[in-house]
Amino acid sequence: MKQIETTYPEGSEVIVTLAEIYMAKGKMEVAKNLIVKGLSTKDIMEVTGLEEKEINKIKKQVLH
């Protein structure tokens, strides 16, 4: 990422945004797996850093 920022300074914001999107998607995927495994919302919050509201939304998608 540093190399991209140095080479294309105008694109560094886009790269950071894309990285954030992929990290968020990764957290959501982990949350889905933990929901399937039966972990509590509190435990999922601790592991992923997601808020309860986000986890409940994912639960509705996974369990319905």
Side-chain angles (χ1 to χ4, degrees), residues 1-16:
M1 197 160 104
K2 282 280 187 208
Q3 185 177 8
I4 292 171
E5 286 178 349
T6 305
T7 308
Y8 304 102
E10 69 281 355
S12 64
E13 237 178 80
V14 173
I15 298 300
V16 171

Side-chain angles (χ1 to χ4, degrees), residues 36-48:
V36 170
K37 293 283 186 185
L39 267 71
S40 70
T41 299
K42 181 182 175 187
D43 288 339
I44 297 170
M45 288 171 62
E46 288 178 20
V47 170
T48 63

